[in-house]
Amino acid sequence: MNKKASGLTSYLGTLGALLILCVLWTILSRNFLTYNNLMSVLKQTSFNALLSTGMLFCLITAGIDLSVGANATFSACVMGMLVTRGFTNPIALIIIALICGTCIGLINGTLLTRLHLPHPFVSTLGMKNFLWGAALLVTSSQMVSFSSASGVMWLGSATIGGFPISFIVVVVIYIILHILLTRTSLGRSVYCAGGNMEATRLSGINSANVLTFCYALSGFMAALAGIVSVGRSGICNGTNAIQPYDTDAIAACVIGGASFNGGKGTMFGTMLGALIISVLRNGFSLLAIDSAVQNMVLGLVIIGAVLLDVVRENMAAKARRNAAAAAQK
């Protein structure tokens, strides 16, 4: 009961922060609380929310995937390369992009679990730089328009009464992955791997397969985010691979309650975190605040979220020690 109450309190705190932010932007800009702008926020959220799903699974296992943004851009650029060569079948292009992204995730997982690189920070950072170069290479460092393959743009551009289809897809995915994390043995294995890897191994769970699944899922979601980005902009651009998309994804997860120590994080919390990041950036744009200041504020938000997590962990550890001492008496 206490655990449930604690989780509810955590959600209420994050939701309260989102509402306060919305009230602040409403006061500062009369354009914030308009239907078109709110739908724009949801469109912006879709991209980061998809990247954050895979990032969350990696963080729960005490890992990280710094290549999600570059993977999204590379997957979009692979489609762009095919379009420049006259291949415009939208279904085939989407399938190829998803396969590319998933394969990149599998490679990340394999580097960690089979080749035993010391930490996914190293391998995924290297993969990020590799994909940046690869995205530029496959597009010859040119922006590619998808006007001849408009079907690919449907997911990122289509709306129902102005409500973005991409956000509906995000909600469905979040529900499915919430069920996976909370109602299946695989989900329990993911949390177990993040909580104590040695205990996971001793309990008979193949931790290598669990970790590989998490990074493959991260790659798949990155590719899906890349497809959404094509729908939003109508182009792919290899230079975007170096953009701090991975930072936004990490921020969404940490703000939503995930921990770098692993074993923590929920889909609902991550959704709230992604909304907070999008609302922040949207408000900054409405107020014409310099991008440098935006990045500084986002960095402070991440530091604050991590500091809050450390304080919570210390308080929980102190409570456990006090309980153990009381039990011995």
Side-chain angles (χ1 to χ4, degrees), residues 141-173:
S141 300
Q142 302 294 318
M143 290 188 295
V144 178
S145 171
F146 284 81
S147 56
S148 61
S150 57
V152 176
M153 298 189 288
W154 179 86
L155 181 60
S157 61
T159 61
I160 298 177
F163 196 92
I165 296 292
S166 58
F167 191 76
I168 296 175
V169 172
V170 166
V171 171
V172 172
I173 289 174

PDB file of all heavy atoms in Angstrom, residues 141-173:
ATOM      1  N   SER A 141      25.220  13.886 -48.038  1.00  0.00           N
ATOM      2  CA  SER A 141      25.174  15.140 -47.257  1.00  0.00           C
ATOM      3  C   SER A 141      24.145  16.125 -47.789  1.00  0.00           C
ATOM      4  O   SER A 141      24.290  17.342 -47.630  1.00  0.00           O
ATOM      5  CB  SER A 141      26.564  15.804 -47.225  1.00  0.00           C
ATOM      6  OG  SER A 141      27.513  14.938 -46.628  1.00  0.00           O
ATOM      7  N   GLN A 142      23.101  15.604 -48.417  1.00  0.00           N
ATOM      8  CA  GLN A 142      22.039  16.445 -48.962  1.00  0.00           C
ATOM      9  C   GLN A 142      20.712  16.159 -48.250  1.00  0.00           C
ATOM     10  O   GLN A 142      20.468  15.041 -47.804  1.00  0.00           O
ATOM     11  CB  GLN A 142      21.861  16.187 -50.465  1.00  0.00           C
ATOM     12  CG  GLN A 142      23.095  16.420 -51.298  1.00  0.00           C
ATOM     13  CD  GLN A 142      23.516  17.879 -51.329  1.00  0.00           C
ATOM     14  OE1 GLN A 142      22.689  18.786 -51.440  1.00  0.00           O
ATOM     15  NE2 GLN A 142      24.822  18.116 -51.231  1.00  0.00           N
ATOM     16  N   MET A 143      19.870  17.189 -48.164  1.00  0.00           N
ATOM     17  CA  MET A 143      18.511  16.975 -47.682  1.00  0.00           C
ATOM     18  C   MET A 143      17.701  16.285 -48.778  1.00  0.00           C
ATOM     19  O   MET A 143      17.834  16.629 -49.954  1.00  0.00           O
ATOM     20  CB  MET A 143      17.851  18.300 -47.294  1.00  0.00           C
ATOM     21  CG  MET A 143      18.416  18.942 -46.045  1.00  0.00           C
ATOM     22  SD  MET A 143      17.464  20.378 -45.498  1.00  0.00           S
ATOM     23  CE  MET A 143      17.740  21.500 -46.876  1.00  0.00           C
ATOM     24  N   VAL A 144      16.885  15.329 -48.398  1.00  0.00           N
ATOM     25  CA  VAL A 144      16.086  14.580 -49.366  1.00  0.00           C
ATOM     26  C   VAL A 144      14.610  14.836 -49.097  1.00  0.00           C
ATOM     27  O   VAL A 144      14.139  14.683 -47.967  1.00  0.00           O
ATOM     28  CB  VAL A 144      16.379  13.069 -49.279  1.00  0.00           C
ATOM     29  CG1 VAL A 144      15.498  12.300 -50.268  1.00  0.00           C
ATOM     30  CG2 VAL A 144      17.853  12.795 -49.542  1.00  0.00           C
ATOM     31  N   SER A 145      13.884  15.227 -50.134  1.00  0.00           N
ATOM     32  CA  SER A 145      12.451  15.469 -50.014  1.00  0.00           C
ATOM     33  C   SER A 145      11.672  14.182 -50.265  1.00  0.00           C
ATOM     34  O   SER A 145      12.055  13.363 -51.114  1.00  0.00           O
ATOM     35  CB  SER A 145      12.013  16.545 -51.015  1.00  0.00           C
ATOM     36  OG  SER A 145      10.601  16.637 -51.045  1.00  0.00           O
ATOM     37  N   PHE A 146      10.581  14.008 -49.523  1.00  0.00           N
ATOM     38  CA  PHE A 146       9.743  12.831 -49.687  1.00  0.00           C
ATOM     39  C   PHE A 146       8.453  13.151 -50.435  1.00  0.00           C
ATOM     40  O   PHE A 146       7.456  12.435 -50.299  1.00  0.00           O
ATOM     41  CB  PHE A 146       9.400  12.232 -48.314  1.00  0.00           C
ATOM     42  CG  PHE A 146      10.529  11.459 -47.692  1.00  0.00           C
ATOM     43  CD1 PHE A 146      11.551  12.113 -47.031  1.00  0.00           C
ATOM     44  CD2 PHE A 146      10.580  10.071 -47.788  1.00  0.00           C
ATOM     45  CE1 PHE A 146      12.598  11.407 -46.459  1.00  0.00           C
ATOM     46  CE2 PHE A 146      11.624   9.356 -47.226  1.00  0.00           C
ATOM     47  CZ  PHE A 146      12.639  10.023 -46.566  1.00  0.00           C
ATOM     48  N   SER A 147       8.480  14.202 -51.236  1.00  0.00           N
ATOM     49  CA  SER A 147       7.284  14.598 -51.981  1.00  0.00           C
ATOM     50  C   SER A 147       6.830  13.521 -52.957  1.00  0.00           C
ATOM     51  O   SER A 147       5.634  13.388 -53.248  1.00  0.00           O
ATOM     52  CB  SER A 147       7.544  15.906 -52.736  1.00  0.00           C
ATOM     53  OG  SER A 147       8.674  15.766 -53.587  1.00  0.00           O
ATOM     54  N   SER A 148       7.781  12.724 -53.440  1.00  0.00           N
ATOM     55  CA  SER A 148       7.424  11.646 -54.373  1.00  0.00           C
ATOM     56  C   SER A 148       7.012  10.368 -53.651  1.00  0.00           C
ATOM     57  O   SER A 148       6.611   9.391 -54.284  1.00  0.00           O
ATOM     58  CB  SER A 148       8.610  11.343 -55.304  1.00  0.00           C
ATOM     59  OG  SER A 148       9.740  10.921 -54.559  1.00  0.00           O
ATOM     60  N   ALA A 149       7.131  10.358 -52.318  1.00  0.00           N
ATOM     61  CA  ALA A 149       6.718   9.193 -51.519  1.00  0.00           C
ATOM     62  C   ALA A 149       5.890   9.690 -50.337  1.00  0.00           C
ATOM     63  O   ALA A 149       6.213   9.460 -49.178  1.00  0.00           O
ATOM     64  CB  ALA A 149       7.943   8.415 -51.049  1.00  0.00           C
ATOM     65  N   SER A 150       4.811  10.394 -50.662  1.00  0.00           N
ATOM     66  CA  SER A 150       4.016  11.058 -49.630  1.00  0.00           C
ATOM     67  C   SER A 150       3.376  10.076 -48.655  1.00  0.00           C
ATOM     68  O   SER A 150       3.048  10.442 -47.526  1.00  0.00           O
ATOM     69  CB  SER A 150       2.924  11.915 -50.283  1.00  0.00           C
ATOM     70  OG  SER A 150       2.110  11.118 -51.137  1.00  0.00           O
ATOM     71  N   GLY A 151       3.222   8.815 -49.073  1.00  0.00           N
ATOM     72  CA  GLY A 151       2.625   7.821 -48.181  1.00  0.00           C
ATOM     73  C   GLY A 151       3.442   7.602 -46.919  1.00  0.00           C
ATOM     74  O   GLY A 151       2.890   7.281 -45.860  1.00  0.00           O
ATOM     75  N   VAL A 152       4.754   7.782 -47.020  1.00  0.00           N
ATOM     76  CA  VAL A 152       5.634   7.613 -45.865  1.00  0.00           C
ATOM     77  C   VAL A 152       5.359   8.679 -44.813  1.00  0.00           C
ATOM     78  O   VAL A 152       5.526   8.450 -43.617  1.00  0.00           O
ATOM     79  CB  VAL A 152       7.116   7.682 -46.309  1.00  0.00           C
ATOM     80  CG1 VAL A 152       8.044   7.616 -45.118  1.00  0.00           C
ATOM     81  CG2 VAL A 152       7.422   6.556 -47.278  1.00  0.00           C
ATOM     82  N   MET A 153       4.900   9.850 -45.267  1.00  0.00           N
ATOM     83  CA  MET A 153       4.701  10.976 -44.361  1.00  0.00           C
ATOM     84  C   MET A 153       3.386  10.903 -43.592  1.00  0.00           C
ATOM     85  O   MET A 153       3.153  11.716 -42.702  1.00  0.00           O
ATOM     86  CB  MET A 153       4.777  12.291 -45.140  1.00  0.00           C
ATOM     87  CG  MET A 153       6.124  12.536 -45.790  1.00  0.00           C
ATOM     88  SD  MET A 153       6.272  14.195 -46.493  1.00  0.00           S
ATOM     89  CE  MET A 153       5.206  14.050 -47.924  1.00  0.00           C
ATOM     90  N   TRP A 154       2.540   9.946 -43.924  1.00  0.00           N
ATOM     91  CA  TRP A 154       1.197   9.903 -43.330  1.00  0.00           C
ATOM     92  C   TRP A 154       1.243   9.820 -41.810  1.00  0.00           C
ATOM     93  O   TRP A 154       0.531  10.560 -41.118  1.00  0.00           O
ATOM     94  CB  TRP A 154       0.431   8.701 -43.893  1.00  0.00           C
ATOM     95  CG  TRP A 154      -0.955   8.580 -43.322  1.00  0.00           C
ATOM     96  CD1 TRP A 154      -2.085   9.208 -43.772  1.00  0.00           C
ATOM     97  CD2 TRP A 154      -1.367   7.792 -42.210  1.00  0.00           C
ATOM     98  NE1 TRP A 154      -3.166   8.856 -42.997  1.00  0.00           N
ATOM     99  CE2 TRP A 154      -2.754   7.996 -42.031  1.00  0.00           C
ATOM    100  CE3 TRP A 154      -0.692   6.920 -41.342  1.00  0.00           C
ATOM    101  CZ2 TRP A 154      -3.483   7.365 -41.018  1.00  0.00           C
ATOM    102  CZ3 TRP A 154      -1.413   6.296 -40.339  1.00  0.00           C
ATOM    103  CH2 TRP A 154      -2.791   6.513 -40.178  1.00  0.00           C
ATOM    104  N   LEU A 155       2.095   8.951 -41.274  1.00  0.00           N
ATOM    105  CA  LEU A 155       2.120   8.741 -39.828  1.00  0.00           C
ATOM    106  C   LEU A 155       2.465  10.010 -39.070  1.00  0.00           C
ATOM    107  O   LEU A 155       1.889  10.292 -38.014  1.00  0.00           O
ATOM    108  CB  LEU A 155       3.129   7.647 -39.471  1.00  0.00           C
ATOM    109  CG  LEU A 155       3.246   7.293 -37.982  1.00  0.00           C
ATOM    110  CD1 LEU A 155       1.911   6.809 -37.446  1.00  0.00           C
ATOM    111  CD2 LEU A 155       4.329   6.239 -37.762  1.00  0.00           C
ATOM    112  N   GLY A 156       3.378  10.800 -39.600  1.00  0.00           N
ATOM    113  CA  GLY A 156       3.808  12.003 -38.896  1.00  0.00           C
ATOM    114  C   GLY A 156       2.986  13.230 -39.206  1.00  0.00           C
ATOM    115  O   GLY A 156       3.066  14.227 -38.473  1.00  0.00           O
ATOM    116  N   SER A 157       2.175  13.190 -40.282  1.00  0.00           N
ATOM    117  CA  SER A 157       1.454  14.397 -40.704  1.00  0.00           C
ATOM    118  C   SER A 157      -0.059  14.290 -40.592  1.00  0.00           C
ATOM    119  O   SER A 157      -0.747  15.313 -40.467  1.00  0.00           O
ATOM    120  CB  SER A 157       1.818  14.740 -42.157  1.00  0.00           C
ATOM    121  OG  SER A 157       1.441  13.677 -43.023  1.00  0.00           O
ATOM    122  N   ALA A 158      -0.601  13.085 -40.632  1.00  0.00           N
ATOM    123  CA  ALA A 158      -2.058  12.914 -40.645  1.00  0.00           C
ATOM    124  C   ALA A 158      -2.680  13.300 -39.305  1.00  0.00           C
ATOM    125  O   ALA A 158      -2.081  13.134 -38.244  1.00  0.00           O
ATOM    126  CB  ALA A 158      -2.417  11.466 -40.982  1.00  0.00           C
ATOM    127  N   THR A 159      -3.881  13.845 -39.382  1.00  0.00           N
ATOM    128  CA  THR A 159      -4.613  14.239 -38.184  1.00  0.00           C
ATOM    129  C   THR A 159      -6.080  13.833 -38.300  1.00  0.00           C
ATOM    130  O   THR A 159      -6.590  13.601 -39.396  1.00  0.00           O
ATOM    131  CB  THR A 159      -4.547  15.759 -37.952  1.00  0.00           C
ATOM    132  OG1 THR A 159      -5.149  16.439 -39.074  1.00  0.00           O
ATOM    133  CG2 THR A 159      -3.114  16.238 -37.788  1.00  0.00           C
ATOM    134  N   ILE A 160      -6.747  13.767 -37.153  1.00  0.00           N
ATOM    135  CA  ILE A 160      -8.199  13.578 -37.104  1.00  0.00           C
ATOM    136  C   ILE A 160      -8.781  14.784 -36.380  1.00  0.00           C
ATOM    137  O   ILE A 160      -8.646  14.920 -35.163  1.00  0.00           O
ATOM    138  CB  ILE A 160      -8.583  12.285 -36.360  1.00  0.00           C
ATOM    139  CG1 ILE A 160      -8.012  11.057 -37.077  1.00  0.00           C
ATOM    140  CG2 ILE A 160     -10.109  12.150 -36.250  1.00  0.00           C
ATOM    141  CD1 ILE A 160      -8.293   9.755 -36.371  1.00  0.00           C
ATOM    142  N   GLY A 161      -9.390  15.680 -37.139  1.00  0.00           N
ATOM    143  CA  GLY A 161      -9.891  16.909 -36.536  1.00  0.00           C
ATOM    144  C   GLY A 161      -8.795  17.749 -35.926  1.00  0.00           C
ATOM    145  O   GLY A 161      -9.007  18.443 -34.927  1.00  0.00           O
ATOM    146  N   GLY A 162      -7.606  17.681 -36.519  1.00  0.00           N
ATOM    147  CA  GLY A 162      -6.462  18.413 -35.996  1.00  0.00           C
ATOM    148  C   GLY A 162      -5.651  17.641 -34.980  1.00  0.00           C
ATOM    149  O   GLY A 162      -4.533  18.031 -34.639  1.00  0.00           O
ATOM    150  N   PHE A 163      -6.201  16.522 -34.466  1.00  0.00           N
ATOM    151  CA  PHE A 163      -5.493  15.713 -33.467  1.00  0.00           C
ATOM    152  C   PHE A 163      -4.534  14.777 -34.193  1.00  0.00           C
ATOM    153  O   PHE A 163      -4.948  13.995 -35.054  1.00  0.00           O
ATOM    154  CB  PHE A 163      -6.485  14.904 -32.635  1.00  0.00           C
ATOM    155  CG  PHE A 163      -5.908  14.355 -31.362  1.00  0.00           C
ATOM    156  CD1 PHE A 163      -6.011  15.069 -30.179  1.00  0.00           C
ATOM    157  CD2 PHE A 163      -5.242  13.142 -31.344  1.00  0.00           C
ATOM    158  CE1 PHE A 163      -5.485  14.583 -28.991  1.00  0.00           C
ATOM    159  CE2 PHE A 163      -4.702  12.639 -30.174  1.00  0.00           C
ATOM    160  CZ  PHE A 163      -4.827  13.363 -28.991  1.00  0.00           C
ATOM    161  N   PRO A 164      -3.251  14.812 -33.865  1.00  0.00           N
ATOM    162  CA  PRO A 164      -2.252  14.041 -34.625  1.00  0.00           C
ATOM    163  C   PRO A 164      -2.391  12.529 -34.456  1.00  0.00           C
ATOM    164  O   PRO A 164      -2.503  12.031 -33.342  1.00  0.00           O
ATOM    165  CB  PRO A 164      -0.916  14.534 -34.067  1.00  0.00           C
ATOM    166  CG  PRO A 164      -1.237  15.092 -32.712  1.00  0.00           C
ATOM    167  CD  PRO A 164      -2.632  15.635 -32.810  1.00  0.00           C
ATOM    168  N   ILE A 165      -2.379  11.826 -35.576  1.00  0.00           N
ATOM    169  CA  ILE A 165      -2.412  10.362 -35.562  1.00  0.00           C
ATOM    170  C   ILE A 165      -1.190   9.808 -34.837  1.00  0.00           C
ATOM    171  O   ILE A 165      -1.262   8.802 -34.130  1.00  0.00           O
ATOM    172  CB  ILE A 165      -2.451   9.810 -37.001  1.00  0.00           C
ATOM    173  CG1 ILE A 165      -3.734  10.228 -37.707  1.00  0.00           C
ATOM    174  CG2 ILE A 165      -2.311   8.287 -37.004  1.00  0.00           C
ATOM    175  CD1 ILE A 165      -4.991   9.603 -37.171  1.00  0.00           C
ATOM    176  N   SER A 166      -0.064  10.482 -34.998  1.00  0.00           N
ATOM    177  CA  SER A 166       1.187   9.998 -34.392  1.00  0.00           C
ATOM    178  C   SER A 166       1.064   9.905 -32.874  1.00  0.00           C
ATOM    179  O   SER A 166       1.598   8.975 -32.263  1.00  0.00           O
ATOM    180  CB  SER A 166       2.357  10.916 -34.761  1.00  0.00           C
ATOM    181  OG  SER A 166       2.101  12.253 -34.338  1.00  0.00           O
ATOM    182  N   PHE A 167       0.343  10.843 -32.261  1.00  0.00           N
ATOM    183  CA  PHE A 167       0.201  10.798 -30.802  1.00  0.00           C
ATOM    184  C   PHE A 167      -0.734   9.661 -30.386  1.00  0.00           C
ATOM    185  O   PHE A 167      -0.537   9.057 -29.326  1.00  0.00           O
ATOM    186  CB  PHE A 167      -0.316  12.129 -30.265  1.00  0.00           C
ATOM    187  CG  PHE A 167      -0.228  12.248 -28.765  1.00  0.00           C
ATOM    188  CD1 PHE A 167       0.989  12.489 -28.156  1.00  0.00           C
ATOM    189  CD2 PHE A 167      -1.350  12.085 -27.966  1.00  0.00           C
ATOM    190  CE1 PHE A 167       1.098  12.575 -26.775  1.00  0.00           C
ATOM    191  CE2 PHE A 167      -1.259  12.173 -26.589  1.00  0.00           C
ATOM    192  CZ  PHE A 167      -0.032  12.416 -25.991  1.00  0.00           C
ATOM    193  N   ILE A 168      -1.732   9.380 -31.216  1.00  0.00           N
ATOM    194  CA  ILE A 168      -2.613   8.231 -30.939  1.00  0.00           C
ATOM    195  C   ILE A 168      -1.794   6.945 -30.961  1.00  0.00           C
ATOM    196  O   ILE A 168      -1.960   6.070 -30.102  1.00  0.00           O
ATOM    197  CB  ILE A 168      -3.760   8.165 -31.966  1.00  0.00           C
ATOM    198  CG1 ILE A 168      -4.658   9.404 -31.838  1.00  0.00           C
ATOM    199  CG2 ILE A 168      -4.584   6.890 -31.779  1.00  0.00           C
ATOM    200  CD1 ILE A 168      -5.753   9.486 -32.886  1.00  0.00           C
ATOM    201  N   VAL A 169      -0.904   6.832 -31.942  1.00  0.00           N
ATOM    202  CA  VAL A 169      -0.022   5.665 -32.033  1.00  0.00           C
ATOM    203  C   VAL A 169       0.853   5.568 -30.787  1.00  0.00           C
ATOM    204  O   VAL A 169       1.059   4.481 -30.233  1.00  0.00           O
ATOM    205  CB  VAL A 169       0.844   5.738 -33.310  1.00  0.00           C
ATOM    206  CG1 VAL A 169       1.903   4.632 -33.308  1.00  0.00           C
ATOM    207  CG2 VAL A 169      -0.021   5.642 -34.542  1.00  0.00           C
ATOM    208  N   VAL A 170       1.367   6.704 -30.341  1.00  0.00           N
ATOM    209  CA  VAL A 170       2.200   6.730 -29.132  1.00  0.00           C
ATOM    210  C   VAL A 170       1.424   6.210 -27.932  1.00  0.00           C
ATOM    211  O   VAL A 170       1.934   5.394 -27.145  1.00  0.00           O
ATOM    212  CB  VAL A 170       2.715   8.157 -28.857  1.00  0.00           C
ATOM    213  CG1 VAL A 170       3.285   8.268 -27.443  1.00  0.00           C
ATOM    214  CG2 VAL A 170       3.775   8.535 -29.875  1.00  0.00           C
ATOM    215  N   VAL A 171       0.195   6.668 -27.759  1.00  0.00           N
ATOM    216  CA  VAL A 171      -0.629   6.230 -26.622  1.00  0.00           C
ATOM    217  C   VAL A 171      -0.847   4.723 -26.666  1.00  0.00           C
ATOM    218  O   VAL A 171      -0.737   4.029 -25.641  1.00  0.00           O
ATOM    219  CB  VAL A 171      -1.976   6.981 -26.613  1.00  0.00           C
ATOM    220  CG1 VAL A 171      -2.916   6.386 -25.570  1.00  0.00           C
ATOM    221  CG2 VAL A 171      -1.765   8.460 -26.333  1.00  0.00           C
ATOM    222  N   VAL A 172      -1.143   4.195 -27.857  1.00  0.00           N
ATOM    223  CA  VAL A 172      -1.356   2.748 -28.001  1.00  0.00           C
ATOM    224  C   VAL A 172      -0.084   1.979 -27.641  1.00  0.00           C
ATOM    225  O   VAL A 172      -0.126   0.972 -26.907  1.00  0.00           O
ATOM    226  CB  VAL A 172      -1.804   2.411 -29.438  1.00  0.00           C
ATOM    227  CG1 VAL A 172      -1.841   0.894 -29.647  1.00  0.00           C
ATOM    228  CG2 VAL A 172      -3.183   3.007 -29.718  1.00  0.00           C
ATOM    229  N   ILE A 173       1.053   2.449 -28.138  1.00  0.00           N
ATOM    230  CA  ILE A 173       2.332   1.797 -27.839  1.00  0.00           C
ATOM    231  C   ILE A 173       2.626   1.841 -26.342  1.00  0.00           C
ATOM    232  O   ILE A 173       3.065   0.845 -25.752  1.00  0.00           O
ATOM    233  CB  ILE A 173       3.471   2.456 -28.636  1.00  0.00           C
ATOM    234  CG1 ILE A 173       3.348   2.118 -30.123  1.00  0.00           C
ATOM    235  CG2 ILE A 173       4.840   2.017 -28.107  1.00  0.00           C
ATOM    236  CD1 ILE A 173       4.337   2.837 -31.008  1.00  0.00           C
TER     237      ILE A 173
END
